Amino acid sequence: MKIGILLKDTAASQCNFSIINTTNIINQTTDHVVSLFYINKTVPCVRTLCCTTTLDKIYGFNGHLIATDVETARFLLRHNRESHDWYVWDLEWLRNRYMREDLIALYSSRKFNFVCRSKDHADELNKFTGQDYNRYVSDNFTAYLLERIRILTARANLLAEGDLKWPKVV
């Protein structure tokens, strides 16, 4: 299974550290391939043990994509027709109040399967959009990503066997 994670950059932050650490673990301990795509080139906060390249390379990428912020989510909506995940790490709308309507539309998009970093984040997202996002993980990106890979692999196996007719994001 191929997974691509879209980041604003790979510079030092809690989010980037968690994601890069997780990709290193998965790439070293499983036969799945997790790649990182970034908008701005920076020195990674930790050593990367995976493919790390610019965001424009997703056009040749054949795998599941995960947005991690508003910028990467917008990029996916503009350049990709499939449904993908959005791992909500940050409550970005709290700092961008002048773009409230635009952000509500983006966070209300049906093209994303939202997964929030915590129950508190999911509650705040529910309040902001007026929708119910009850999927969250307890600040454990590794567990979320491994579960997502398991689900996507099972779906791919069903598609290959012809048992699944309409692929949908879980």
Side-chain angles (χ1 to χ4, degrees):
M1 176 59 54
K2 291 183 187 176
I3 301 279
I5 302 172
L6 286 62
L7 301 168
K8 193 179 304 183
D9 56 46
T10 56
S13 74
Q14 288 180 347
C15 178
N16 291 346
F17 178 81
S18 175
I19 289 171
I20 293 170
N21 219 21
T22 295
T23 60
N24 288 344
I25 291 167
I26 291 175
N27 285 334
Q28 285 182 315
T29 60
T30 71
D31 60 344
H32 303 292
V33 177
V34 181
S35 302
L36 299 174
F37 298 91
Y38 56 83
I39 296 172
N40 303 313
K41 185 173 179 151
T42 57
V43 176
C45 56
V46 293
R47 184 174 170 221
T48 57
L49 303 175
C50 63
C51 172
T52 307
T53 188
T54 56
L55 202 56
D56 62 335
K57 301 289 192 280
I58 69 166
Y59 298 112
F61 183 77
N62 183 21
H64 189 76
L65 296 170
I66 301 171
T68 57
D69 63 11
V70 169
E71 250 183 290
T72 56
R74 281 190 181 128
F75 185 88
L76 278 181
L77 282 179
R78 280 194 311 266
H79 301 288
N80 205 305
R81 296 184 184 162
E82 296 179 30
S83 296
H84 297 288
D85 290 2
W86 184 346
Y87 184 70
V88 179
W89 177 278
D90 193 11
L91 307 176
E92 295 175 273
W93 60 88
L94 296 177
R95 289 186 307 282
N96 296 315
R97 293 175 192 252
Y98 63 93
M99 298 173 59
R100 183 174 174 79
E101 297 304 317
D102 181 40
L103 291 175
I104 286 175
L106 186 62
Y107 279 102
S108 299
S109 173
R110 294 286 177 205
K111 288 204 167 204
F112 290 109
N113 177 40
F114 289 91
V115 178
C116 296
R117 168 183 172 184
S118 69
K119 175 84 170 101
D120 292 337
H121 278 65
D123 292 343
E124 288 299 318
L125 186 57
N126 291 344
K127 285 184 213 171
F128 178 66
T129 62
Q131 298 186 20
D132 185 24
Y133 298 101
N134 55 11
R135 287 204 54 187
Y136 68 94
V137 294
S138 298
D139 207 11
N140 187 340
F141 187 74
T142 305
Y144 152 70
L145 196 54
L146 287 171
E147 177 65 11
R148 197 67 182 127
I149 288 170
R150 186 192 64 73
I151 291 168
L152 292 168
T153 302
R155 178 175 294 123
N157 291 340
L158 287 172
L159 281 169
E161 295 168 6
D163 293 338
L164 186 62
K165 304 293 182 212
W166 300 101
K168 293 182 180 178
V169 171
V170 173

